[in-house]
Amino acid sequence: MKPPRKLHIKSYGCQMNVYDAQRMVDTLTGEGFVETTSADDADLVILNTCHIREKASEKVYSELGRLRAAKAEAAQNGRQMSIAVAGCVAQAEGEEIIRRAPVVDVVVGPQSYHHLPQLLARANSDGRAIETEFPLQDKFGFLPPPRPDAIRARGISSFVTVQEGCDKFCTFCVVPYTRGAEVSRPVKRIIDDVMRLADNGVREITLIGQNVNAYHGEGPDGQSWPLGKLLHRLAEIPGIVRLRYSTSHPRDVDDSLLEAHRDVPALMPFVHLPVQSGSDRILAAMNRKHTAGDYRKTIDRFRAVRQDIAFSSDFIVGFPGETEEDFSATLALVAQIGYAGAYSFKYSPRPGTPAADIKETVSAQDMDKRLVRLQELIDSQQSAFNMAAIGNTVDVLFERAARNPGQIVGRTAYLQPAHVMASPDIISQVLPVRIESLERYSLLGELAAPAHAGRPASSHMTHGA
Ligand code: 5AD
Ligand code: SF4
């Protein structure tokens, strides 16, 4: 029997890439690959790249420099190492990658991962293989058969893709170009995936998509289903105790989503709702299609249906034309909303996007200063949010043994890690924890009620209970 070939995948960027990496592993496991944690002894190294900001996309080239040495050393030892570049840099730069880094054997865009085995074979015979096409509709207007995108269950919490691509065209963003037009998966396929994951022990599902609340997949009734209706349906699947979704666009928050937050207890009260800026002038230049006031109203609509809901967001500082006054409007919005956490980035012009043609006006020093000021405000809000948990009893879904012996770690509704001393039997259960202290970003506490091994999250529990 041939020894298994070793595969190492390094993922950068968003949750979709994490999910895609798992899908690539599943595809290649079927071809006799096993995963390895080190690139140096791998027969195939895949860099699953991110193009969202320049820093992210330049990382791939420094990594390829390192891999060139590893590949040469493998060759000296009579071993072949193949190198593939996947993800959004592959999609955006295609052949250019091989021109800049001839060490690369395969370039594969996000729509083509199911072709990896054939692409590797082609690279073996022809020296190189590149596939970065979006599957186009054929001349009758039919899309090709849906690609196999379900993944094998791993652990307690799993991502499931429900839509891909984005039609919003924010002027700074590469996503509409690297991930293509917005496409939603049919409801039936999502239900099948979630049922299978639940049967394999998954208790929490995060529905992912670049613009997840633009979801409009075909339902079993032939109608187009909004995200809220999908969430209602998925909550009925035995074994699923928590649902989340990410990433949302403020413009696509509809009544069905708010109703789901009101009526579906499994839907966690924590929403990532990027706003990018608090200035209407900058929001217009970004083509966000909403004002700061619209965003505030949307937050209020969520809070009206569920008081304990918390928000996180994304911000860009230093967009071309951003004045001190515009930036102050961002700080004012953050102060007014009160976030449980947020990501903030310096504007990075991306080739091919409309904003890349606008003259940059904010100096590097001012951008740095604004980023620090914004991050200080967000950090203080995040600390206050975490501190507020101390003394409370909160539900925790336990996921795995922690690094400290005897400790089990899980997550609260707001994704805060929470540690308790307990038996591993509690893994996969949702249990109340009395929070006693906060250590950096982790909550420490004690089980509030004695766990008993038979306490299932539902009658259908097949794993860990
Ligand atoms: N420059 C800086 N940040 C960006 N983002 C997207 N494109 C850019 C860019 N060109 C940020 C946005 C988005 C997050 C995923 O990345 O805040 O919500
Ligand atoms: Fe990019 Fe999000 Fe805007 Fe779509 S909505 S273009 S993914 S920032």
Side-chain angles (χ1 to χ4, degrees), residues 166-170 172-176 210-211 249 276 288:
C166 183
D167 294 341
K168 284 286 185 291
F169 289 94
C170 300
F172 53 80
C173 184
V174 289
V175 166
Q210 271 89 25
N211 182 3
H249 192 287
Q276 314 297 356
R288 286 290 295 177

Side-chain angles (χ1 to χ4, degrees), residues 86-416:
C88 290
V89 178
Q91 186 64 46
E93 298 186 4
E95 255 176 272
E96 177 63 22
I97 294 177
I98 294 187
R99 224 170 288 138
R100 244 182 105 174
V103 70
V104 173
D105 304 283
V106 172
V107 175
V108 56
Q111 303 294 324
S112 306
Y113 295 152
H114 54 302
H115 288 158
L116 261 171
Q118 294 89 313
L119 290 167
L120 287 169
R122 192 154 22 110
N124 251 335
S125 59
D126 304 354
R128 302 269 179 268
I130 301 175
E131 187 171 314
T132 55
E133 298 304 308
F134 286 125
L136 296 174
Q137 292 189 354
D138 70 17
K139 58 180 188 257
F140 307 107
F142 291 115
L143 281 167
R147 64 202 172 95
D149 40 5
I151 52 164
R152 190 163 53 86
R154 293 166 172 84
I156 299 303
S157 181
S158 186
F159 296 141
V160 170
T161 302
V162 298
Q163 68 81 233
E164 260 189 279
C166 183
D167 294 341
K168 284 286 185 291
F169 289 94
C170 300
T171 53
F172 53 80
C173 184
V174 289
V175 166
Y177 312 99
T178 55
R179 294 283 176 161
E182 205 273 302
V183 184
S184 294
R185 296 179 65 210
V187 171
K188 168 86 170 64
R189 289 170 55 90
I190 297 166
I191 294 175
D192 288 349
D193 283 357
V194 174
M195 283 174 61
R196 198 175 38 79
L197 290 168
D199 274 345
N200 286 294
V202 169
R203 296 289 160 260
E204 174 179 78
I205 297 285
T206 304
L207 304 180
I208 56 170
Q210 271 89 25
N211 182 3
V212 71
N213 57 332
Y215 179 81
H216 60 277
E218 189 190 329
D221 52 4
Q223 305 283 311
S224 157
W225 281 31
L227 185 66
K229 190 161 176 183
L230 177 67
L231 286 162
H232 263 277
R233 175 65 187 85
L234 296 180
E236 290 168 5
I237 294 176
I240 297 303
V241 296
R242 284 187 171 181
L243 290 167
R244 305 177 184 277
Y245 58 90
S246 185
T247 293
S248 303
H249 192 287
R251 263 291 287 258
D252 292 330
V253 174
D254 65 3
D255 288 343
S256 91
L257 191 57
L258 297 167
E259 280 159 21
H261 276 285
R262 189 190 60 203
D263 301 335
V264 179
L267 182 55
M268 291 295 98
F270 189 36
V271 175
H272 184 60
L273 198 65
V275 62
Q276 314 297 356
S277 168
S279 151
D280 288 347
R281 230 172 47 79
I282 295 298
L283 288 169
M286 287 176 164
N287 189 32
R288 286 290 295 177
K289 307 176 204 288
H290 61 78
T291 62
D294 297 334
Y295 182 83
R296 287 191 189 94
K297 272 190 213 129
T298 302
I299 296 273
D300 289 345
R301 282 160 71 213
F302 274 108
R303 286 183 168 149
V305 293
R306 204 160 163 174
Q307 281 80 44
D308 62 348
I309 204 158
F311 297 91
S312 60
S313 192
D314 291 343
F315 295 90
I316 295 177
V317 301
F319 188 80
E322 186 189 74
T323 61
E324 189 56 36
E325 204 183 335
D326 293 316
F327 177 65
S328 298
T330 300
L331 294 178
L333 181 73
V334 174
Q336 197 177 6
I337 304 280
Y339 287 101
Y343 302 95
S344 43
F345 311 100
K346 289 189 273 187
Y347 170 68
S348 164
R350 307 306 293 130
T353 59
D357 296 333
I358 315 176
K359 191 170 165 299
E360 284 190 70
T361 56
V362 184
S363 71
Q365 293 90 315
D366 282 346
M367 244 196 240
D368 284 336
K369 279 192 218 147
R370 285 179 195 174
L371 190 70
V372 168
R373 283 166 69 196
L374 178 58
Q375 285 182 342
E376 277 173 3
L377 177 58
I378 291 165
D379 283 353
S380 70
Q381 293 190 340
Q382 183 168 3
S383 301
F385 184 81
N386 288 337
M387 291 290 286
I390 297 174
N392 288 351
T393 298
V394 303
D395 276 349
V396 173
L397 170 58
F398 287 98
E399 294 184 7
R400 57 186 167 79
R403 231 175 289 148
N404 287 349
Q407 264 189 352
I408 309 295
V409 60
R411 293 208 179 247
T412 69
Y414 306 108
L415 289 176
Q416 298 148 300

